[in-house]
Amino acid sequence: MRILVTDGMDKGALAELRAAGHEVVEQFYAPEELGKALQEFDGVVIRSATKVRKNHIDEALETGRLKLIIRGGVGVDNIDVAYAEEKGIAVKNTPRASSNSVAELAMAHMFSCARFISVAGHTMREGKWEKKAYGKGFELAGKTLGVVGYGRIGQSLGRMAQALGMNVLAYDVFEIKELECETMKYVTMDELLANSDFISLHTPAVPGKPLINAETIAQMKDGAVIINTSRGTNIDEAALLEALNSGKIRGAGLDVWNEEPTKNEALYSHPAVSCTPHIGAATKEAQARVGAEVVSVIKAFFG
């Protein structure tokens, strides 16, 4: 089969696909070029940068060759899944591969916000020694973490938090009651917002109003910390910035943004923000697991 890889993939996985006899082309296409390019491939592997929308699918259908779209990662909101499947194109993802890496980054942002790691390190590189300014951190142990979206990533973060002595409140449309224990329980969204010291988002992109907006921020405890490694559109950045400036929100750890690359300098340069450029799944281990899952999906699908 002829496979297009638009956003990069583990070299070992690429070699395995080629060894299995597939022709693999590594090439990123601009949105206006993608649909026509897909006419010449049996399958396509994408990550976050490429979006496969209805117009791309319609163009690909002109030859009828494309049969498989794989998202190397958890969410598939950058693919018009229902439309693709309606047209006979299968959509798959790799839900297990990057869960631990994303959860670890979320935890890293929690530590950074609690102990001023990001801003204190930045000021030291400016030649400053601001021990007094950043000597008022707090411990994670004993605090409450609210996890919005308790799937694989959320559960991984929840286990880490519990190991640190935190209590976990989880909100999810699907509840796995076997996970509940003395330090973890499912709650309503309103309960989570009102009782969490940290709130970490692990849901796909939510249509309509962002999950975190002026109204939901008003429901939070004063001094709460918001972590987002899910999708940038899940947070109203203007509302978050206002809450950071007022002190309602103590800090924010952000790996994803409304627009990427972000141009929101007021937010990413805010001293209470720990920021990264969408690197949640960018570990060697995760990339290797993503590649292995992609290979497995292609072999199973095409035989």
Side-chain angles (χ1 to χ4, degrees), residues 10-86:
D10 177 70
K11 298 303 180 186
L14 293 170
E16 188 172 350
L17 286 175
R18 288 171 175 138
H22 300 296
E23 180 186 352
V24 182
V25 177
E26 297 178 80
Q27 176 68 50
F28 177 80
Y29 287 94
E32 63 273 15
E33 301 172 337
L34 180 62
K36 184 173 178 60
L38 291 176
Q39 295 175 359
E40 305 302 323
F41 292 92
D42 302 286
V44 58
V45 182
I46 69 173
R47 296 298 301 272
S48 298
T50 298
K51 295 174 176 58
V52 182
R53 300 306 185 195
K54 290 182 180 180
N55 60 303
H56 304 128
I57 294 166
D58 285 338
E59 282 192 78
L61 289 171
E62 292 181 19
T63 61
R65 184 168 181 176
L66 186 68
K67 291 292 184 286
L68 176 65
I69 303 170
I70 303 176
R71 161 75 162 96
V74 179
V76 290
D77 45 284
N78 54 335
I79 304 169
D80 284 336
V81 178
Y83 190 73
E85 292 179 339
E86 176 188 321

Side-chain angles (χ1 to χ4, degrees), residues 139-277:
E139 297 179 0
L140 271 59
K143 303 302 188 297
T144 297
L145 167 65
V147 182
V148 183
Y150 212 62
R152 289 184 176 89
I153 298 172
Q155 290 170 34
S156 181
L157 178 62
R159 288 191 295 270
M160 295 177 195
Q162 290 173 80
L164 288 170
M166 301 185 78
N167 295 303
V168 176
L169 303 178
Y171 172 76
D172 200 295
V173 292
F174 301 106
E175 296 184 358
I176 306 172
K177 289 297 184 180
E178 293 79 6
L179 296 176
E180 289 194 312
C181 61
E182 185 178 348
T183 55
M184 181 271 156
K185 65 177 181 177
Y186 286 102
V187 294
T188 66
M189 187 66 171
D190 287 345
E191 289 176 300
L192 185 149
L193 292 170
N195 294 288
S196 299
D197 300 297
F198 290 83
I199 295 173
S200 191
L201 307 182
H202 299 283
T203 71
V206 177
K209 185 180 292 188
L211 277 170
I212 302 302
N213 54 60
E215 290 80 7
T216 53
I217 289 172
Q219 293 179 258
M220 297 177 191
K221 296 171 66 172
D222 291 345
V225 175
I226 297 170
I227 307 296
N228 190 16
T229 56
S230 61
R231 290 293 183 267
T233 52
N234 283 336
I235 289 183
D236 180 334
E237 291 185 351
L240 174 58
L241 184 60
E242 182 177 344
L244 288 166
N245 287 334
S246 71
K248 169 66 177 180
I249 297 300
R250 177 189 176 99
L254 305 176
D255 183 51
V256 289
W257 309 81
N258 286 187
E259 178 186 9
E260 296 184 0
T262 181
K263 298 181 179 66
N264 195 340
E265 184 177 0
L267 187 58
Y268 69 69
S269 64
H270 196 285
V273 172
S274 173
C275 55
T276 45

Side-chain angles (χ1 to χ4, degrees), residues 112-113 115-123 125 273-275:
S112 181
C113 291
R115 300 304 303 272
F116 306 105
I117 294 171
S118 179
V119 64
H122 178 75
T123 55
R125 286 188 288 274
V273 172
S274 173
C275 55

